[in-house]
Amino acid sequence: AQSVTQLDSQVPVFEEAPVELRCNYSSSVSVYLFWYVQYPNQGLQLLLKYLSGSTLVKGINGFEAEFNKSQTSFHLRKPSVHISDTAEYFCAVSDGDNAGNMLTFGGGTRLMVKP
Amino acid sequence: DAGITQSPRHKVTETGTPVTLRCHQTENHRYMYWYRQDPGHGLRLIHYSYGVKDTDKGEVSDGYSVSRSKTEDFLLTLESATSSQTSVYFCAISPQLAAEEFFGPGTRLTVL
């Protein structure tokens, strides 16, 4: 079974600064990778996903993530954050080798953007 | 937003009482899931369904049961609620294998 580690539970950052949220997963031959965002008192919505192809994936709201197979990582980045990016971010992985698309989620990283 | 609703949105109940949460979708997606969200644990899968009357257990299924009698509805039942089941419960749907999941707005359950 997959496991997902989000190394930082909270990331404070000033507005307009760059940010990287880290995600590592347990090794597998084939994985599908996702980043979700959760704004306060809301459900999760998809930021971006990697299924195959280019290892650099661009998502909504200016976010991007890079799949690094050798390091089993899928870190999320944004070059300049806004106050409105304050939210909790979840990395999720599904095992592409097995039938079924159940996702395994990391524990989440709370991004706090300060003015 | 994908057409997913959850009811109720908030519920307070007492230990030992039965509770049923409802997830309703209008997308005709095959797969439906129930998760619980707790601080530091992210989302953990309770049960999922891959079709009408086809369900299976997830990571944290003890104390929960589910039913899916129609494509659009997926019910989560706590037969006898305990304080450890205080959590936020999310329903999700997906159309196919390895597809992204679409989440409902969540139900905040408090068991006193």
Side-chain angles (χ1 to χ4, degrees):
Chain A
Q2 283 284 352
S3 66
V4 181
T5 303
Q6 292 184 243
L7 295 166
D8 305 300
S9 60
Q10 294 186 63
V11 174
V13 63
F14 286 106
E15 194 174 18
E16 297 183 7
V19 70
E20 179 179 81
L21 306 184
R22 295 179 292 172
C23 173
N24 288 88
Y25 61 93
S26 56
S27 181
S28 179
V29 174
S30 175
V31 291
Y32 302 123
L33 298 153
F34 305 81
W35 274 100
Y36 285 84
V37 60
Q38 184 182 31
Y39 299 105
N41 299 313
Q42 294 186 26
L44 280 70
Q45 61 185 83
L46 186 72
L47 269 180
L48 50 80
K49 61 184 176 183
Y50 170 81
L51 302 182
S52 65
S54 174
T55 56
L56 183 63
V57 181
K58 294 190 182 298
I60 62 172
N61 301 338
F63 284 92
E64 63 180 31
E66 185 158 18
F67 168 51
N68 188 320
K69 187 172 184 177
S70 63
Q71 297 187 5
T72 61
S73 68
F74 191 55
H75 300 333
L76 181 70
R77 297 190 292 258
K78 186 170 184 178
S80 176
V81 295
H82 302 129
I83 295 289
S84 59
D85 292 322
T86 295
E88 188 146 24
Y89 292 79
F90 292 94
C91 180
V93 177
S94 67
D95 189 343
D97 285 339
N98 292 329
N101 62 333
M102 282 70 72
L103 302 184
T104 300
F105 285 84
T109 298
R110 187 170 299 277
L111 177 64
M112 299 174 292
V113 182
K114 300 180 287 185
Chain B
D1 289 346
I4 311 170
T5 56
Q6 293 184 231
S7 59
R9 293 292 313 279
H10 301 271
K11 186 170 182 67
V12 180
T13 191
E14 294 188 350
T15 298
T17 59
V19 176
T20 295
L21 308 183
R22 180 180 183 241
C23 177
H24 179 78
Q25 62 149 326
T26 58
E27 305 296 322
N28 201 35
H29 285 345
R30 177 180 176 186
Y31 296 90
M32 299 186 74
Y33 312 83
W34 277 107
Y35 292 91
R36 59 177 290 172
Q37 182 180 27
D38 304 288
H41 291 277
L43 275 78
R44 292 179 292 176
L45 182 67
I46 305 171
H47 281 280
Y48 67 98
S49 170
Y50 47 96
V52 173
K53 298 187 179 179
D54 293 323
T55 65
D56 206 348
K57 297 178 179 180
E59 176 189 358
V60 290
S61 59
D62 287 349
Y64 302 95
S65 63
V66 291
S67 66
R68 191 170 178 198
S69 58
K70 298 184 290 185
T71 299
E72 57 266 34
D73 290 326
F74 193 33
L75 303 181
L76 177 71
T77 298
L78 291 65
E79 300 291 347
S80 177
T82 68
S83 59
S84 65
Q85 294 175 312
T86 292
S87 186
V88 180
Y89 291 85
F90 286 98
C91 175
I93 64 175
S94 65
Q96 60 192 24
L97 296 179
E100 70 184 85
E101 294 180 15
F102 301 93
F103 284 81
T107 294
R108 184 173 296 276
L109 176 67
T110 301
V111 183
L112 302 175

